[in-house]
């Protein structure tokens, strides 16, 4: 059979990245929070190619507590900023999706090219 595209398997994430799929899966498996198919609430960083998404759950007193923080950094300048914060111990992300191309890589990040007939979706 034909290989399923990762967009079909993992939703329609930009550039075929896995951030959205991993975030939804972690929320469900680690914190029993079902996010459904609703769009995630991304917060833009310095530019459109640096965004983060946060999951908060109520603590024992009912106050929101941040439990997951994911980022998507596209373009070398954004990647450099995240890596510098990691080196300094100031990066509070649990997961970072990085692609060198501004806007994300056209064929996805490091994706193996499929030979032969492709399904148009």
């Amino acid at each position: 059979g034909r290989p399923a595209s990762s967009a079909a398997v993992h939703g329609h994430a930009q550039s075929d990245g896995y951030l959205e799929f991993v975030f939804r899966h972690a929320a469900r498996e680690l914190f029993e929070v079902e996010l459904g198919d609703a769009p995630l609430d991304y917060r833009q960083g310095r530019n459109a190619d640096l965004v983060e998404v946060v999951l908060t759950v109520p603590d024992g007193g009912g106050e929101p507590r941040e439990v997951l923080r994911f980022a998507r950094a596209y373009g070398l300048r954004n990647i450099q900023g995240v890596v510098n914060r990691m080196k300094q111990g100031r990066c509070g992300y649990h997961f970072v999706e990085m692609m060198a191309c501004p806007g994300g890589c056209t064929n996805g990040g490091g994706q193996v090219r499929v030979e032969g007939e492709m399904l148009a979706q």
Side-chain angles (χ1 to χ4, degrees):
R2 293 183 180 146
S5 78
S6 57
V9 174
H10 304 291
H12 298 285
Q14 182 176 352
S15 299
D16 241 2
Y18 291 93
L19 179 139
E20 191 164 321
F21 173 78
V22 174
F23 187 82
R24 290 177 191 279
H25 184 75
R28 183 178 62 249
E29 295 298 318
L30 299 175
F31 303 102
E32 298 178 354
V33 174
E34 184 60 53
L35 298 173
D37 292 332
L40 297 179
D41 185 22
Y42 289 99
R43 298 180 201 164
Q44 184 173 322
R46 291 176 294 188
N47 55 57
D49 283 343
L50 180 63
V51 296
E52 61 181 40
V53 61
V54 174
L55 178 69
T56 57
V57 298
D59 66 9
E63 293 296 316
R65 178 175 60 101
E66 184 178 293
V67 293
L68 286 179
R69 179 178 291 269
F70 283 24
R72 183 177 68 208
Y74 292 168
L76 292 175
R77 183 168 281 166
N78 290 322
I79 291 171
Q80 183 180 31
V82 171
V83 170
N84 285 338
R85 286 196 307 270
M86 286 178 179
K87 287 180 178 179
Q88 297 168 0
R90 298 185 307 119
C91 186
Y93 299 123
H94 297 101
F95 177 96
V96 180
E97 177 177 285
M98 297 181 182
M99 292 190 197
C101 308
C105 302
T106 304
N107 196 35
Q111 301 297 316
V112 176
R113 294 177 190 243
V114 178
E115 303 230 355
E117 185 180 339
M118 293 294 296
L119 268 179
Q121 293 189 2

